[in-house]
Amino acid sequence: MTLKVYLSGEIHTDWREQIMQGAAGLDVSFDAPVTDHAASDDCGVAILGAEADKFWHDRKGAQVNAIRTRRGIEGADVVVVRFGDKYKQWNAAFDAGMAAALGKSLIILQPPEHDHALKEVDAAALAVARTPEQVVQILDYVLTGRLPG
Amino acid sequence: MTLKVYLSGEIHTDWREQIMQGAAGLDVSFDAPVTDHAASDDCGVAILGAEADKFWHDRKGAQVNAIRTRRGIEGADVVVVRFGDKYKQWNAAFDAGMAAALGKSLIILQPPEHDHALKEVDAAALAVARTPEQVVQILDYVLTGRLPG
Amino acid sequence: MTLKVYLSGEIHTDWREQIMQGAAGLDVSFDAPVTDHAASDDCGVAILGAEADKFWHDRKGAQVNAIRTRRGIEGADVVVVRFGDKYKQWNAAFDAGMAAALGKSLIILQPPEHDHALKEVDAAALAVARTPEQVVQILDYVLTGRLPG
Amino acid sequence: MTLKVYLSGEIHTDWREQIMQGAAGLDVSFDAPVTDHAASDDCGVAILGAEADKFWHDRKGAQVNAIRTRRGIEGADVVVVRFGDKYKQWNAAFDAGMAAALGKSLIILQPPEHDHALKEVDAAALAVARTPEQVVQILDYVLTGRLPG
Amino acid sequence: MTLKVYLSGEIHTDWREQIMQGAAGLDVSFDAPVTDHAASDDCGVAILGAEADKFWHDRKGAQVNAIRTRRGIEGADVVVVRFGDKYKQWNAAFDAGMAAALGKSLIILQPPEHDHALKEVDAAALAVARTPEQVVQILDYVLTGRLPG
Amino acid sequence: MTLKVYLSGEIHTDWREQIMQGAAGLDVSFDAPVTDHAASDDCGVAILGAEADKFWHDRKGAQVNAIRTRRGIEGADVVVVRFGDKYKQWNAAFDAGMAAALGKSLIILQPPEHDHALKEVDAAALAVARTPEQVVQILDYVLTGRLPG
Amino acid sequence: MTLKVYLSGEIHTDWREQIMQGAAGLDVSFDAPVTDHAASDDCGVAILGAEADKFWHDRKGAQVNAIRTRRGIEGADVVVVRFGDKYKQWNAAFDAGMAAALGKSLIILQPPEHDHALKEVDAAALAVARTPEQVVQILDYVLTGRLPG
Amino acid sequence: MTLKVYLSGEIHTDWREQIMQGAAGLDVSFDAPVTDHAASDDCGVAILGAEADKFWHDRKGAQVNAIRTRRGIEGADVVVVRFGDKYKQWNAAFDAGMAAALGKSLIILQPPEHDHALKEVDAAALAVARTPEQVVQILDYVLTGRLPG
């Protein structure tokens, strides 16, 4: 049975592509948020009409994006959440909280310098990975029992 | 019936006390994480034994704290999550995600400069407040129908 | 064990008071939305700040009211929804849909002229009453086995 | 993975056809209630036998229709509820309440003149659209990340 | 914490009184359906108005009774279902099915001659008792660890 | 999407075959208990070893059958429960109770002489049919909107 | 709000008393299985009648005990499972699995020599303690924020 | 519909292969943990980096394995748990507890000498088998109604 993986979080590097390419031979399906930053920010007003107030401009967009992200998380077996070097990334931590509450298997992908700040998030995860390659190796092992090397 | 409110997030200012004092006459019970920063960081090793590795030091503490925080969130009618000016505050966003997935009424308390970064979190909330006093007014209205002024 | 009853719907007549007075001697607790129409409409902006756009003015208020109404419905054993003669009353039907999906015992209180328009709502209910007195009689019977007359 | 969309509400205009045609190239499956008004009203007695009393005539029909509508809503990722110009449309609001309680992504399709009357329903939705075309654009964006224009 | 026990099924002998008296010194609360046969049969029409058709007469009553019985079963820790010598007693078996699906601890109280006919029901139970006294002994043991004799 | 129908209850007449043949052209899948009475009674001991005591002989069989029946009910969209003229049929009523508690659409198929004894079961159903043909007509209508005649 | 703690597992040493005495000043309620080994083994036949076959003797007792243990686990905020030096203790691990699946906060109390054999169980826990005193310290910290020493 | 079976527990004999071969002609899909003992023990550190402390070495591995085992159990219709002659096998009992709490149909496969020690686990199961062949016969009967011999 296909393993359903949702790739949440940082959208400024190619970590999703690395994981998807690395897992090319595996029975995995991937889902993710819209990673075009401008489209993601403006989708609400682009479709449903402009807002004078930036707060509601953002609200409209965030809610349209939520149609995709909640379905992605709810439908997943495994949720991978990537924290990068920049930005607040509160939406990533929010997705991790949703995934934890829904009983999803959570993998956090983050550099060691964030270990202390992410300790509550990591404590809800089944793995804390440092590289996309490690995420691929986990998916490979989970599906086939194969270990790297 | 007593309204159960969990106060999550920032632990460096007295916003919890402001809310609790403001709501003194109302039928509300409050719960919160341990807000002594040092105790919160070290509880795991203080009780269960030292760890050589800071990562596992943090893990032990975060998991002991989770006994309290998850019960607090799961038992609440309303979860208030405060985002302050400093730190990563990923645990606050994580708590908000849990609360949203569990169908709790979510109130976000945050300064306007975080509006854009918190747009996904705010979009899952039933109110975005700027001051502890506004949170008190919401609790008052929800319980009594009374409006300020 | 106290029977928890939520009284949803029409806020322009005294049907809630009739039920509460009629049930005075019974082990019932009642909850209801804020029934002050002006307060209910304006609570969002009165507490959280004015909105230029009426749509968001309404949104803010509806979401603050939702803190109360969802808790009321989720905490109830029995949800009574009253449909009156005037207005669209879509919030009443919305509450009935929530109550049905949550498995609450639903009682609809409505005049016969709405029977056809309410047939889908009535079909999810355990009783369709015409008068507040009948609702009291149902509560009395459910708690004590006593029948009127 | 195919996006499952349930189209609830008004059955007197061709808004469902507009959405289905607009979404023709997308990986979406659509479900809806029986939209033949006469069949929908009479299905209960046509199959299970006539009733002398119109109230039970309606009950029988509404319950047979509920077999279809509840399955449609429970199986959907996205529930679109359309409010038109005429009739009470309480079944539409009832469906919206069920969808909200079940955690479905809710899109309300309605003309601006109903904004105030629908404020509680809209407050539970992730989008309020004015035209079928906007609904199509949301589905397109949610599935492909593509924005109109 | 008080053990909540719902006593379902046969209403023609005094088995409920025997259990309640036997458990007099224990921290148990009891709930049960309305056991006045005539009231139970006629409650719907007595409150909500007569029906020409016996089928709907019965429907109205059964639905009013369901307000009480579903709450009793859903709120119980232990559901005791008694099958007697007479009548179809399908409502007893229906209650047992609800209790089993809701994960309640189920005790069946029945004479040996029904063993084969009740085998599917018994297979979902945690105890099959022959006498009210045995039910009391189970409740006593569950609460205090005390065994008879 | 294929409508999943579970056919529970009486196993001595060919009502299941009538429904399956009548629904031949529809997108329906059917499931049912094992209807070979002797196999159903003896499956436990035939596979897992003889029992000296008939009570445990029955228990073993009922539990093996439960693997099939619970899966059938839990996986169904619609549960049809047939009550016939003979036997206690408590397992049929038990299945109906499980189906109701799990929120399945319930159709009861029974002769009019059982109306009063089945009133609590019928009150949880969305349709009470008298003939297998009516069940087929309901399935046809639910899937296609087509009415008989 | 009282913290509800269920103390599962080994019944041959006084670890439960140590925890209850250590937590004497805290707002905690404790529940546990029947710890009288003989009573626990024989409760089924002592109440419901002797069995010729030891397998069914054990089954009857285990099911009567399950009325108590499942309620204890389902009602708990925190489940502590103690593994001792002797016996198979599969019921302890079974309770831990139930607690984990129900989302309870799990604390495992076990000597270091069982670390490897308990790794899957420990991995689902929020704390692995070595002494009853550590469990008391966790409960104290969770309720009051107080650390030992 | 394919019956999904998860084979949990003992990994040192070929019981899984016997079941899979015996069920070759049936509509069953099988899932299981990684049964390569060394890989299962070391997967965490092999992928995510070495640990100085064996406790955390084990934790990392157990959590990576949990991604596979929890999905396997949650996705199964039937969970078979095999207890063998050696080792503590607490993970097997833990899996059985999870399966029971999740409402899965549980089959325990164990030699008679473990009957007393497994009585609580067996009491939650729908069958206690002694041989892999019996498990195959159960699956065959559940799917086809066919009995052995």
Side-chain angles (χ1 to χ4, degrees):
Chain A
M1 206 169 43
T2 303
L3 187 75
K4 284 169 283 178
V5 178
Y6 186 77
L7 302 170
S8 169
E10 183 254 302
I11 61 171
H12 300 283
T13 67
D14 69 344
W15 67 277
R16 282 185 185 81
E17 286 68 32
Q18 290 183 51
I19 289 176
M20 287 190 270
Q21 287 170 16
L26 298 172
D27 186 12
V28 186
S29 71
F30 291 101
D31 194 4
V34 170
T35 55
D36 175 333
H37 197 152
S40 172
D41 267 12
D42 296 334
C43 61
V45 297
I47 296 174
L48 298 168
E51 289 294 327
D53 187 334
K54 184 62 158 62
F55 183 85
W56 298 115
H57 174 116
D58 281 351
R59 171 64 55 90
K60 269 180 158 175
Q63 289 199 320
V64 167
N65 282 311
I67 299 175
R68 176 166 172 145
T69 55
R70 291 185 189 177
R71 176 179 176 242
I73 292 171
E74 287 170 9
D77 298 305
V78 175
V79 175
V80 182
V81 185
R82 158 86 177 155
F83 290 84
D85 298 328
K86 290 183 286 195
Y87 307 106
K88 296 291 187 187
Q89 305 184 79
W90 284 322
N91 59 330
F94 181 82
D95 282 0
M98 289 196 72
L102 295 169
K104 302 298 173 183
S105 287
L106 191 59
I107 298 174
I108 305 300
L109 175 57
Q110 47 115 321
E113 58 266 33
H114 288 336
D115 278 0
H116 187 65
L118 281 171
K119 65 183 189 295
E120 289 86 3
V121 179
D122 289 354
L126 290 177
V128 177
R130 303 307 188 187
T131 66
E133 187 187 23
Q134 287 177 326
V135 175
V136 172
Q137 290 172 349
I138 291 172
L139 300 179
D140 193 357
Y141 174 75
V142 164
L143 282 167
T144 69
R146 198 160 41 207
L147 286 179
Chain B
M1 208 167 41
T2 303
L3 186 75
K4 285 169 284 177
V5 178
Y6 186 78
L7 302 171
S8 167
E10 184 253 299
I11 61 170
H12 301 283
T13 67
D14 69 345
W15 67 277
R16 283 186 184 81
E17 287 66 33
Q18 290 184 50
I19 289 176
M20 287 190 271
Q21 287 169 15
L26 297 172
D27 187 12
V28 186
S29 70
F30 290 100
D31 195 3
V34 171
T35 55
D36 175 333
H37 197 153
S40 173
D41 267 12
D42 297 333
C43 62
V45 297
I47 295 173
L48 298 168
E51 289 295 326
D53 187 335
K54 186 60 159 61
F55 182 84
W56 299 115
H57 174 116
D58 281 351
R59 170 65 55 89
K60 270 180 157 175
Q63 289 198 320
V64 168
N65 282 312
I67 299 175
R68 177 168 172 143
T69 55
R70 290 184 191 178
R71 177 179 175 242
I73 293 172
E74 287 169 10
D77 297 308
V78 175
V79 175
V80 181
V81 186
R82 160 83 176 156
F83 290 84
D85 297 329
K86 289 183 285 193
Y87 307 106
K88 296 291 187 187
Q89 306 185 78
W90 284 322
N91 58 331
F94 181 82
D95 281 1
M98 288 196 73
L102 295 169
K104 304 296 172 184
S105 286
L106 190 61
I107 300 174
I108 305 299
L109 175 57
Q110 47 114 320
E113 57 266 32
H114 288 336
D115 278 0
H116 187 65
L118 281 170
K119 65 182 188 294
E120 288 87 2
V121 178
D122 289 353
L126 290 178
V128 177
R130 303 308 188 188
T131 67
E133 187 187 23
Q134 287 177 325
V135 176
V136 172
Q137 291 171 347
I138 291 172
L139 300 179
D140 194 358
Y141 173 75
V142 164
L143 282 167
T144 70
R146 200 160 39 209
L147 285 179
Chain C
M1 209 168 41
T2 304
L3 187 75
K4 286 169 282 177
V5 178
Y6 186 78
L7 302 171
S8 169
E10 183 253 301
I11 61 171
H12 300 284
T13 68
D14 68 346
W15 67 277
R16 285 185 182 80
E17 287 66 32
Q18 291 184 50
I19 290 176
M20 288 189 269
Q21 287 170 15
L26 297 173
D27 187 12
V28 185
S29 70
F30 291 100
D31 195 4
V34 171
T35 55
D36 175 332
H37 197 152
S40 173
D41 266 12
D42 296 331
C43 61
V45 297
I47 296 173
L48 298 167
E51 289 294 327
D53 187 335
K54 186 60 161 58
F55 183 84
W56 299 115
H57 174 115
D58 281 349
R59 171 65 54 91
K60 271 180 157 175
Q63 290 199 319
V64 167
N65 282 312
I67 299 175
R68 175 166 173 146
T69 54
R70 292 186 189 178
R71 176 180 176 242
I73 293 172
E74 288 170 8
D77 298 306
V78 175
V79 175
V80 181
V81 186
R82 159 85 176 154
F83 290 84
D85 296 330
K86 289 182 284 192
Y87 307 105
K88 295 294 187 185
Q89 306 183 80
W90 285 321
N91 59 329
F94 181 81
D95 282 359
M98 289 196 72
L102 295 169
K104 304 297 173 185
S105 285
L106 190 60
I107 299 174
I108 304 299
L109 176 55
Q110 47 114 320
E113 58 265 33
H114 289 334
D115 277 0
H116 187 66
L118 281 169
K119 64 182 188 297
E120 289 86 1
V121 178
D122 289 353
L126 290 177
V128 177
R130 302 307 187 189
T131 68
E133 187 186 24
Q134 288 177 323
V135 176
V136 172
Q137 291 172 347
I138 291 172
L139 301 178
D140 193 357
Y141 174 75
V142 164
L143 282 167
T144 70
R146 197 161 40 208
L147 286 179
Chain D
M1 207 167 45
T2 303
L3 187 75
K4 284 169 285 177
V5 178
Y6 186 78
L7 302 171
S8 168
E10 182 253 302
I11 61 169
H12 301 283
T13 67
D14 68 345
W15 67 277
R16 284 185 183 81
E17 287 66 34
Q18 290 184 50
I19 289 176
M20 288 190 268
Q21 287 169 16
L26 298 172
D27 186 11
V28 186
S29 70
F30 290 101
D31 194 5
V34 170
T35 55
D36 175 332
H37 197 151
S40 173
D41 266 12
D42 296 332
C43 61
V45 297
I47 296 173
L48 298 167
E51 289 294 327
D53 187 335
K54 185 62 161 57
F55 183 84
W56 298 115
H57 173 117
D58 280 349
R59 171 66 54 89
K60 269 180 158 175
Q63 290 199 320
V64 167
N65 282 312
I67 299 175
R68 176 167 172 145
T69 54
R70 291 186 190 177
R71 176 179 177 241
I73 292 172
E74 289 170 9
D77 298 306
V78 175
V79 174
V80 181
V81 186
R82 160 83 176 156
F83 289 84
D85 297 330
K86 289 182 285 193
Y87 307 105
K88 296 291 187 187
Q89 306 183 80
W90 284 322
N91 59 329
F94 181 81
D95 282 0
M98 289 197 70
L102 295 170
K104 303 298 173 184
S105 286
L106 190 60
I107 299 174
I108 305 300
L109 175 58
Q110 46 117 316
E113 57 266 33
H114 288 335
D115 277 1
H116 186 65
L118 280 171
K119 64 182 188 297
E120 290 85 3
V121 179
D122 288 354
L126 291 177
V128 177
R130 302 308 188 189
T131 66
E133 186 186 24
Q134 287 177 325
V135 175
V136 172
Q137 290 171 348
I138 290 172
L139 300 179
D140 192 357
Y141 173 76
V142 163
L143 282 168
T144 69
R146 196 161 42 207
L147 287 178
Chain E
M1 208 166 44
T2 303
L3 186 75
K4 284 169 285 177
V5 178
Y6 186 77
L7 301 171
S8 169
E10 184 253 301
I11 60 170
H12 301 284
T13 67
D14 68 345
W15 68 277
R16 284 185 183 81
E17 287 65 34
Q18 291 184 48
I19 290 176
M20 286 189 271
Q21 286 170 16
L26 298 172
D27 187 11
V28 186
S29 70
F30 290 101
D31 195 4
V34 171
T35 55
D36 175 332
H37 198 150
S40 174
D41 266 13
D42 296 332
C43 62
V45 296
I47 297 174
L48 297 168
E51 289 294 327
D53 187 335
K54 185 61 161 58
F55 183 84
W56 299 115
H57 175 116
D58 280 349
R59 171 65 54 90
K60 271 180 157 176
Q63 290 199 321
V64 168
N65 282 312
I67 298 175
R68 176 166 172 145
T69 54
R70 292 186 189 177
R71 177 181 175 239
I73 293 173
E74 288 171 7
D77 298 307
V78 175
V79 175
V80 181
V81 185
R82 160 83 176 156
F83 290 83
D85 296 329
K86 289 182 286 191
Y87 306 105
K88 295 292 187 186
Q89 305 183 78
W90 285 322
N91 59 329
F94 181 81
D95 282 0
M98 288 197 71
L102 295 169
K104 304 297 173 184
S105 286
L106 190 59
I107 299 174
I108 305 300
L109 175 57
Q110 46 114 320
E113 58 265 34
H114 288 335
D115 278 1
H116 187 64
L118 281 170
K119 63 184 191 294
E120 289 85 3
V121 178
D122 289 353
L126 291 177
V128 176
R130 303 307 188 187
T131 67
E133 186 186 25
Q134 288 177 325
V135 175
V136 172
Q137 290 172 348
I138 291 172
L139 300 179
D140 194 357
Y141 173 76
V142 164
L143 282 168
T144 70
R146 199 161 39 209
L147 286 179
Chain F
M1 208 167 42
T2 303
L3 187 75
K4 284 170 285 177
V5 178
Y6 185 77
L7 301 171
S8 168
E10 183 254 302
I11 61 171
H12 301 282
T13 65
D14 70 344
W15 67 277
R16 284 185 183 82
E17 286 66 34
Q18 291 184 49
I19 290 176
M20 287 189 270
Q21 286 169 16
L26 298 172
D27 187 11
V28 186
S29 70
F30 291 100
D31 194 4
V34 170
T35 55
D36 175 333
H37 198 153
S40 174
D41 266 12
D42 296 332
C43 61
V45 297
I47 297 174
L48 298 168
E51 289 294 327
D53 187 337
K54 185 61 161 59
F55 183 84
W56 299 115
H57 174 115
D58 281 349
R59 172 66 53 91
K60 269 179 157 176
Q63 290 199 320
V64 167
N65 282 313
I67 299 176
R68 176 166 172 145
T69 55
R70 292 187 190 176
R71 177 181 177 240
I73 293 172
E74 289 170 7
D77 297 308
V78 175
V79 175
V80 181
V81 186
R82 159 85 176 155
F83 290 84
D85 297 328
K86 289 182 286 190
Y87 307 105
K88 295 292 186 186
Q89 307 185 75
W90 285 321
N91 59 330
F94 181 81
D95 282 359
M98 289 196 71
L102 296 169
K104 303 298 172 183
S105 286
L106 190 60
I107 298 174
I108 305 299
L109 174 58
Q110 46 115 319
E113 58 264 34
H114 288 335
D115 278 1
H116 187 64
L118 281 170
K119 65 183 188 297
E120 290 86 3
V121 178
D122 288 354
L126 291 176
V128 177
R130 302 307 187 189
T131 66
E133 185 186 25
Q134 286 177 326
V135 176
V136 171
Q137 289 171 349
I138 290 172
L139 301 178
D140 192 359
Y141 174 74
V142 164
L143 282 167
T144 70
R146 198 161 38 207
L147 285 178
Chain G
M1 206 167 42
T2 303
L3 186 75
K4 284 169 285 177
V5 178
Y6 186 77
L7 302 172
S8 169
E10 184 253 299
I11 60 170
H12 301 283
T13 67
D14 69 343
W15 68 276
R16 284 187 183 80
E17 288 66 33
Q18 290 185 48
I19 289 176
M20 288 190 269
Q21 286 170 18
L26 298 172
D27 187 11
V28 186
S29 70
F30 290 101
D31 195 4
V34 171
T35 57
D36 175 331
H37 197 152
S40 173
D41 266 13
D42 297 332
C43 61
V45 296
I47 296 172
L48 297 167
E51 288 295 326
D53 186 335
K54 184 62 161 60
F55 183 84
W56 299 115
H57 175 116
D58 281 349
R59 171 64 54 90
K60 270 179 157 176
Q63 290 198 321
V64 168
N65 282 312
I67 298 175
R68 177 168 171 143
T69 54
R70 291 186 190 176
R71 176 179 175 241
I73 293 172
E74 287 169 11
D77 298 307
V78 175
V79 175
V80 181
V81 186
R82 159 85 176 155
F83 290 84
D85 297 330
K86 287 182 286 194
Y87 307 104
K88 296 292 187 186
Q89 305 184 82
W90 284 322
N91 59 330
F94 181 82
D95 282 0
M98 288 196 72
L102 295 169
K104 303 297 173 184
S105 286
L106 190 60
I107 299 175
I108 305 300
L109 175 57
Q110 46 115 319
E113 57 266 34
H114 288 335
D115 278 1
H116 187 66
L118 281 170
K119 65 183 189 295
E120 288 86 2
V121 178
D122 289 353
L126 290 177
V128 177
R130 304 306 189 188
T131 67
E133 187 186 25
Q134 287 177 326
V135 175
V136 172
Q137 291 172 348
I138 290 172
L139 300 179
D140 193 358
Y141 174 75
V142 164
L143 281 168
T144 70
R146 198 161 40 207
L147 285 178
Chain H
M1 207 168 42
T2 303
L3 186 75
K4 285 170 283 177
V5 178
Y6 186 78
L7 302 171
S8 169
E10 183 252 302
I11 60 171
H12 300 284
T13 66
D14 69 345
W15 68 276
R16 284 185 184 81
E17 286 68 31
Q18 290 183 49
I19 289 176
M20 287 189 270
Q21 287 169 16
L26 298 173
D27 186 12
V28 186
S29 70
F30 290 100
D31 195 4
V34 170
T35 55
D36 174 334
H37 197 154
S40 174
D41 267 12
D42 296 333
C43 62
V45 297
I47 296 173
L48 298 167
E51 288 296 326
D53 187 334
K54 184 62 159 60
F55 183 84
W56 298 115
H57 174 115
D58 280 350
R59 171 66 54 90
K60 269 179 156 176
Q63 290 199 320
V64 168
N65 282 313
I67 299 175
R68 177 167 171 143
T69 55
R70 291 186 191 177
R71 176 180 176 243
I73 293 172
E74 288 169 9
D77 297 306
V78 175
V79 174
V80 182
V81 185
R82 158 85 178 154
F83 289 84
D85 297 329
K86 289 183 285 193
Y87 308 105
K88 296 292 188 187
Q89 305 185 79
W90 284 322
N91 58 330
F94 181 82
D95 281 1
M98 290 196 70
L102 295 169
K104 302 299 173 182
S105 286
L106 190 60
I107 299 174
I108 305 299
L109 175 57
Q110 46 114 322
E113 58 265 32
H114 288 336
D115 277 1
H116 187 65
L118 281 170
K119 65 183 187 296
E120 289 87 2
V121 178
D122 288 353
L126 290 178
V128 177
R130 303 307 188 187
T131 67
E133 186 186 24
Q134 287 177 327
V135 176
V136 172
Q137 290 171 348
I138 291 173
L139 300 179
D140 192 357
Y141 174 76
V142 164
L143 282 167
T144 70
R146 198 161 39 207
L147 285 179

